[in-house]
Amino acid sequence: MQMNGAEILVKALADLGVDVVFGYPGGAVLNIYDALFGNTKVRHMLCRHEQGAVHMADGYARASGRTGVCLVTSGPGATNTVTGLATAYMDSIPIVVFTGQVPTLLIGNDAFQEADIVGISRPCTKHNYLVKDTKDLARIVREAFYIASTGRPGPVLGDIPKDVLISTAEYNLPKEVRLRGYHPNYEGHPRQVESAMRLLLSKERPVIYAGGGIILSNASEELAELARLLSVPVTTTLMGMGAFPGNDPLFLGMLGMHGTYTANMAISHADLILALGARFDDRVTGKIDEFAPHAKIIHVDIDPTSIQKNVPVDIPIVGDLKDVLRKMIRLVKGKKDAAAYRGKCSAWRQQLSTWSKTHPLTYKESKGKIKPQFVVERIREVTGGKAIIATEVGQNQMWAAQFYTYDKPRTFLSSGGLGTMGYGLPAAIGAQVAMPGTLVVDIAGDGSIQMNIQELATAVQYRVPVKVVILNNGSLGMVRQWQELFFQGKYSQTCLPHIPDFVKLAEAYGAKGFRATKVDEVAAVLKKGFAAEGPVLIDIVVDPAEMVYPMVPAGAPLTKMLLV
């Protein structure tokens, strides 16, 4: 069947099961929008900024496990996606972004709205394409989705010149993809797995260090089964929140710069670390020379380049976490070794329990000022822990990680690697589109929310009932915290004295707005806001002096925590 390039693209998306595309039109992609007009299989959501569109595709992917899709035009439309691409790349999120491009003959001629998005995006995409011939388009679309979602997931970009969209070709979507040199290894080597388990069972102070890879590989059940079989304590990275039930007695909390005392001390005193789908980020390791000084390290990851990248590893295992964990479980399930091991490590668990009791996550309550941690606790209480929580970046992000317990994977959405302010609201919208029956809450700061607050109009237009809770402290809180601690309290350019009236702003966009300024108003306002139909923005005026603790100063070892 002969079709033009735009029709081929839209039909390929439909045939691959894409139900929604987040995008923003422009001259170079008008033919695609014409092909989308009236299409009943692929729904398009008109965003208010291309960065917001990419974050929506990202939030859709994180919440659902399906590949998110974004469509924008050439030039500034394309370059506006770069922050979203880098965000997804750092956190290994499967999205496919299609950009329009000037006609092939004009590429390199400084044509109107021309940008070399393939060159620009190369460092922050898993792969990218410049489509030069219409007959290649269907194959490239198929490959883009395959690459984005297999192996270590990541963003893929397809740049399509206007003449490729206009020209015609036969529609032929490949059923299978075979790419020379791209063969992700899903099966962990059995002998390496056996060696890892022998090493683990020989130690007495083990810790499982779980990252976002557990969630990406849908291996949370296997992680819980192995940890409980052997009674091995579990800590997670920020990206791993929800990978292991937060209410499980074996859970130590998040580790790293703002991790719990128990998790950081556990890593520092462990004699074995089983690292699963984590990359030993500097926010996790602190001073790398003093990270886990007594521990042998087993590192499992589907990406071989992540292993040995930041820390020496004793036993590397390349493979899918679900496969490797199942093999590990088979080696100990029902065996005497497992029961004996639980007893062998009892003193270690007792030590961890003591640390948890003497140094819990806490804050100083106040009757006169609303503490942001108190707000997060009330959000957990009002939602019953059943919401998907998206965050912006900064103090709000850390309090959301510390004081809301995540029991299931894909319920905590945050820009962990890049730390992208403005991520939360559009990501929450994408998650809500993917999971329409679930309450989705964006925990925001007054600075970060203003970076993409225009997407509230998108939520209103499509009746996406996201709830935004702003922890309003009148400043760029996390940067201000660093200035307080390390720059003698000189708050250079971090105070935001001219904050808009968020309630009126919400109403201006057509959403509902609520505000709490007193402690005893918080729970009632949250209940009212969460129960209201449609998108809601809740402005809560919190103590501006409150800081995030524990905190490991940059470059310090994990044992040098600043505590409340």
Side-chain angles (χ1 to χ4, degrees), residues 94 149 254 315 335 436:
S149 60
M254 180 177 73
I315 299 182
K335 306 286 177 63

Side-chain angles (χ1 to χ4, degrees), residues 12 23 31 52 66 107 115 122 159 163 166 182 188 230 236-237 285 301 304 307 312 325 336 416 468 552:
N31 292 85
R66 304 188 294 270
I107 292 177
R122 187 165 290 128
D159 194 30
D163 55 310
I166 296 171
Y182 180 71
L230 300 175
T236 70
T237 65
T285 62
D301 204 291
I307 299 176
L325 284 169
K336 290 181 181 177
V468 180
V552 179

Side-chain angles (χ1 to χ4, degrees), residues 252-265 283 355-356 358-364 373 394-395 397-399 401-403 478 481-482 485-486 546-554 556-564:
L252 306 177
M254 180 177 73
L255 82 162
M257 179 173 281
H258 294 296
T260 66
Y261 181 88
T262 309
N264 285 344
M265 292 298 283
R283 289 293 171 106
W355 280 331
S356 294
T358 55
H359 294 85
L361 279 174
T362 189
Y363 59 95
K364 294 178 182 175
Q373 302 95 327
Q395 289 180 316
Q397 180 187 32
M398 292 300 117
W399 286 319
Q402 292 176 331
F403 289 92
M478 187 59 88
Q481 175 167 332
W482 281 53
L485 294 172
F486 310 118
E546 190 64 19
M547 297 203 284
V548 181
Y549 290 113
M551 179 177 183
V552 179
L558 292 181
T559 51
K560 302 296 183 185
M561 285 167 276
L562 305 177
L563 302 172
V564 176

Side-chain angles (χ1 to χ4, degrees), residues 140-439:
I140 287 175
V141 173
R142 181 74 177 84
E143 289 179 4
F145 278 80
Y146 176 73
I147 293 171
S149 60
T150 54
R152 178 177 181 170
V156 177
L157 181 138
D159 194 30
I160 313 174
K162 190 165 185 174
D163 55 310
V164 172
L165 293 171
I166 296 171
S167 301
T168 60
E170 193 75 18
Y171 178 76
N172 184 17
L173 186 70
K175 292 182 180 178
E176 295 183 3
V177 176
R178 293 182 180 179
L179 298 171
R180 189 171 60 183
Y182 180 71
H183 306 290
N185 178 27
Y186 289 92
E187 298 184 4
H189 195 286
R191 278 186 290 183
Q192 287 293 89
V193 175
E194 289 174 11
S195 297
M197 293 308 286
R198 276 198 302 273
L199 179 61
L200 191 155
L201 294 175
S202 72
K203 299 297 181 180
E204 298 180 353
R205 303 191 306 278
V207 174
I208 292 176
Y209 155 46
I214 290 285
I215 297 171
L216 294 169
S217 59
N218 298 311
S220 293
E221 289 185 10
E222 288 78 7
L223 168 62
E225 184 173 359
L226 180 68
R228 289 166 182 163
L229 269 172
L230 300 175
S231 288
V232 176
V234 179
T235 181
T236 70
T237 65
L238 181 72
M239 299 310 301
M241 298 296 290
F244 187 76
N247 57 3
D248 193 291
L250 290 170
F251 186 54
L252 306 177
M254 180 177 73
L255 82 162
M257 179 173 281
H258 294 296
T260 66
Y261 181 88
T262 309
N264 285 344
M265 292 298 283
I267 286 289
S268 301
H269 290 80
D271 60 5
L272 183 128
I273 293 173
L274 176 57
L276 304 171
R279 57 191 173 90
F280 296 89
D281 177 83
D282 59 287
R283 289 293 171 106
V284 160
T285 62
K287 186 178 182 182
I288 202 151
D289 294 343
E290 297 185 31
F291 177 75
H294 313 294
K296 296 286 186 183
I297 296 179
I298 302 163
H299 191 179
V300 186
D301 204 291
I302 199 164
D303 179 4
T305 66
S306 286
I307 299 176
Q308 309 275 16
K309 188 172 185 178
N310 294 324
V311 298
V313 171
D314 297 283
I315 299 182
I317 302 176
V318 178
D320 177 65
L321 286 163
K322 186 183 278 288
D323 172 79
V324 173
L325 284 169
R326 285 178 172 174
K327 286 174 177 166
M328 288 180 167
I329 291 167
R330 280 199 293 272
L331 289 172
V332 294
K333 192 172 186 178
K335 306 286 177 63
K336 290 181 181 177
D337 285 353
Y341 192 67
R342 289 194 291 271
K344 183 179 176 179
C345 300
S346 60
W348 174 234
R349 291 194 299 277
Q350 183 58 47
Q351 175 62 71
L352 298 175
S353 176
T354 300
W355 280 331
S356 294
K357 289 173 184 172
T358 55
H359 294 85
L361 279 174
T362 189
Y363 59 95
K364 294 178 182 175
E365 296 185 29
S366 168
K367 292 183 178 178
K369 295 179 179 177
I370 302 174
K371 296 290 184 171
Q373 302 95 327
F374 171 81
V375 177
V376 176
E377 288 176 336
R378 296 292 80 74
I379 292 173
R380 164 77 188 188
E381 191 175 280
V382 173
T383 62
K386 300 183 185 303
I388 292 174
I389 302 294
T391 78
E392 303 292 335
V393 166
Q395 289 180 316
N396 62 84
Q397 180 187 32
M398 292 300 117
W399 286 319
Q402 292 176 331
F403 289 92
Y404 190 103
T405 305
Y406 300 90
D407 299 330
K408 295 181 179 178
R410 303 194 183 283
T411 56
F412 178 73
L413 318 180
S414 194
S415 172
L418 196 64
T420 305
M421 292 177 70
Y423 170 82
L425 173 57
I429 293 172
Q432 187 75 82
V433 170
M435 310 296 284
T438 304
L439 174 63

Side-chain angles (χ1 to χ4, degrees), residues 41-54:
K41 293 184 177 179
V42 182
R43 180 166 59 124
H44 180 273
M45 290 187 65
L46 174 61
C47 307
R48 296 303 185 268
H49 191 285
E50 290 87 355
Q51 183 185 348
V54 186

Side-chain angles (χ1 to χ4, degrees), residues 1-24 28-37 39 41-44 68-73 96-101 129 131 133-145 156-162 164-174:
M1 183 190 303
Q2 287 282 325
M3 295 179 172
N4 68 36
E7 293 167 337
I8 287 173
L9 173 63
V10 174
K11 181 167 173 52
L13 294 177
D15 288 348
L16 290 171
V18 174
D19 60 348
V20 61
V21 173
F22 303 95
Y24 201 98
V29 289
L30 278 178
N31 292 85
I32 302 174
Y33 277 85
D34 189 58
L36 280 168
F37 189 78
N39 189 293
K41 293 184 177 179
V42 182
R43 180 166 59 124
H44 180 273
V69 184
C70 176
L71 169 64
V72 302
T73 191
V96 175
V97 175
F98 294 104
T99 53
Q101 185 53 277
Y129 292 93
V131 186
D133 195 318
T134 307
K135 71 178 187 307
D136 296 329
L137 185 53
R139 173 184 59 79
I140 287 175
V141 173
R142 181 74 177 84
E143 289 179 4
F145 278 80
V156 177
L157 181 138
D159 194 30
I160 313 174
K162 190 165 185 174
V164 172
L165 293 171
I166 296 171
S167 301
T168 60
E170 193 75 18
Y171 178 76
N172 184 17
L173 186 70

